[in-house]
Amino acid sequence: MTGSEKKALKSCSKKDLIKLINDPRYTQNKAMQFPAIVGYLARHGLPGGSTKDDLMDMIYSARNELIAQAAQKHMDTKQPFAYDDLGGLKGAGDIRVKNFIKNPVKAIADEMKSFYERQENFDGMDPDEVQYYQSLKVNANTLAIELGVRQDSVRFEGQADRIDITSRLSKKMPEKDANLGASLKRVNSGFFGTLFRRPSKEFAAFQESFNIFRDSSMAISGNVADLEAKTTAYLKHVIPNFKYSKDMPRDQWLAVLPKGKRARAGFCMDVLDSVAEHKEAKPYMDNVEKAVNGKPIDKSVDQPPVKEEIKQEDFQKEVQKAIEPPAPKKEEVVVEEKEPQIQQSDLEP
């Protein structure tokens, strides 16, 4: 095992965890996806490794990603199927994932304990791999103890919006960005821009809102409305006619901006895209979570929406009826009926 391979196996970040969960090897083989998540989380805090994100945030981000993937299938398919179907999982595999969604901290604590206690056969393996795997098992036991102590005191309820939006935004960032903090620093002109550039009050307000939004330790984190408002305000500052929509002329707007503003505006547009994606997926994600927990789902989510143009056409017809004067009544003309004339031919035999 090379030095770079050892380093990669000891690194641990939320961004790479999300990337792993979305790897086609696992999205197309759900039976292997959750074990891969557990194996990756076992790296957290590994001695001699590089850990970049909070363990609880990573656990709940993994949970969110599994729910989001299940929800996306409901959004994409035209054939309805059960909301507690998490990708055709059966038996023990299905139970493990559903337990993780119901109580993520306890589930991972149990998984880490099982990983540590599992008997392994290392015959014929590379010595470096054996050493790594043994250190991973010891670290898993440490995590199991830590999570066992913390599972009753840690609650991430109410942070689902923050987790989902930051996860979606993370997937839009370049590979080189370690996390969203690094992404924000990059678009803010890097080291020298941070030191010497005076940001506009609109961008300063956006930065403050964004940093509060993504900080899980703050009681006011995850304020979607504030983030959306401050992001839009900055974009209107640099693009006066800006108005968000899925089909907005993004490239056209960014092309006329100077390099620094272009990077910051592009990042802000990614933020609004992530918020919009979250809002669209949220009803489906809520149904997945409800179904897994045995609660009634919102069946209206699967009803096809009434097209706006049809509703508008009906509305216009009603308006037209209201403003048109009533048609004048036609006077009825009474025609005197005449007795039919009997023809001679009618009398002849």
Side-chain angles (χ1 to χ4, degrees):
M1 188 184 297
T2 65
S4 59
E5 287 174 336
K6 291 179 182 178
K7 184 178 179 180
L9 284 172
K10 290 184 178 182
S11 67
C12 187
S13 70
K14 184 170 76 171
K15 181 172 182 176
D16 283 345
L17 174 60
I18 293 172
K19 181 180 177 182
L20 176 140
I21 296 171
N22 287 278
D23 190 310
R25 290 177 299 169
Y26 303 122
T27 56
Q28 296 171 14
N29 184 359
K30 285 286 187 175
M32 297 300 297
Q33 188 179 49
F34 186 62
I37 292 171
V38 174
Y40 188 90
L41 288 173
R43 303 179 184 184
H44 195 277
L46 190 68
S50 173
T51 297
K52 300 181 178 69
D53 294 291
D54 176 69
L55 176 59
M56 295 300 169
D57 200 23
M58 290 180 66
I59 289 173
Y60 276 86
S61 294
R63 173 185 184 267
N64 176 84
E65 205 64 24
L66 294 180
I67 293 173
Q69 287 181 357
Q72 191 63 47
K73 286 196 172 183
H74 284 276
M75 295 170 67
D76 294 340
T77 186
K78 294 180 180 179
Q79 298 296 327
F81 61 97
Y83 270 97
D84 64 350
D85 182 344
L86 301 176
L89 291 170
K90 297 179 181 179
D94 187 54
I95 293 171
R96 288 172 72 189
V97 174
K98 287 178 179 175
N99 285 341
F100 176 56
I101 289 175
K102 292 175 184 177
N103 192 335
V105 178
K106 181 180 185 306
I108 294 299
D110 293 343
E111 291 286 343
M112 292 299 170
K113 184 178 179 182
S114 297
F115 181 31
Y116 171 70
E117 294 176 347
R118 192 169 63 208
Q119 298 298 314
E120 309 291 352
N121 182 5
F122 296 125
D123 293 344
M125 285 182 63
D126 182 292
D128 287 339
E129 291 181 2
V130 173
Q131 184 180 8
Y132 168 74
Y133 202 73
Q134 288 176 332
S135 63
L136 200 64
K137 286 170 71 71
V138 172
N139 196 60
N141 187 48
T142 302
L143 293 174
I145 296 170
E146 177 190 344
L147 293 172
V149 172
R150 295 178 64 185
Q151 63 179 303
D152 293 328
S153 61
V154 176
R155 292 289 182 269
F156 265 54
E157 286 82 355
Q159 299 204 30
D161 293 342
R162 176 190 67 80
I163 291 169
D164 190 53
I165 290 170
T166 54
S167 293
R168 292 176 187 275
L169 181 61
S170 177
K171 286 182 276 190
K172 301 180 193 301
M173 296 298 104
E175 187 74 23
K176 63 182 180 180
D177 292 353
N179 51 39
L180 290 179
S183 297
L184 184 59
K185 187 174 181 179
R186 170 179 53 80
V187 302
N188 201 18
S189 302
F191 177 76
F192 290 103
T194 303
L195 284 179
F196 302 115
R197 185 183 64 81
R198 178 180 295 178
S200 65
K201 63 179 182 179
E202 290 82 5
F203 190 74
F206 160 73
Q207 281 190 104
E208 182 182 19
S209 178
F210 181 73
N211 285 328
I212 291 173
F213 179 87
R214 68 190 184 90
D215 188 348
S216 62
S217 67
M218 299 192 69
I220 57 174
S221 68
N223 187 331
V224 179
D226 185 72
L227 177 65
E228 199 170 9
K230 299 292 174 55
T231 308
T232 303
Y234 172 69
L235 286 168
K236 282 185 174 293
H237 170 66
V238 293
I239 308 169
N241 61 335
F242 175 81
K243 184 178 181 181
Y244 180 79
S245 67
K246 282 187 175 181
D247 56 350
M248 61 185 176
R250 174 185 174 124
D251 293 341
Q252 180 182 333
W253 280 337
L254 293 178
V256 298
L257 294 176
K259 184 178 178 182
K261 287 184 179 179
R262 187 187 313 146
R264 291 187 288 277
F267 182 80
C268 287
M269 289 180 185
D270 285 335
V271 170
L272 292 184
D273 277 339
S274 301
V275 171
E277 290 168 9
H278 165 72
K279 288 182 176 180
E280 184 181 10
K282 183 172 172 55
Y284 297 89
M285 294 177 67
D286 287 347
N287 268 358
V288 171
E289 189 169 357
K290 288 175 184 176
V292 170
N293 283 282
K295 298 179 180 179
I297 65 168
D298 180 0
K299 294 182 180 179
S300 68
V301 170
D302 291 317
Q303 299 301 317
V306 179
K307 290 186 177 180
E308 289 298 322
E309 58 267 22
I310 294 176
K311 290 196 292 185
Q312 181 65 20
E313 184 180 335
D314 290 342
F315 172 74
Q316 288 174 344
K317 286 180 180 178
E318 292 300 319
V319 170
Q320 192 64 27
K321 285 180 183 179
I323 62 176
E324 284 181 353
K329 292 183 179 180
K330 293 182 179 180
E331 294 185 6
E332 294 184 3
V333 179
V334 179
V335 179
E336 186 179 343
E337 293 186 1
K338 295 182 179 181
E339 292 185 5
Q341 300 294 316
I342 299 175
Q343 303 293 327
Q344 179 68 28
S345 59
D346 292 331
L347 299 176
E348 291 178 351

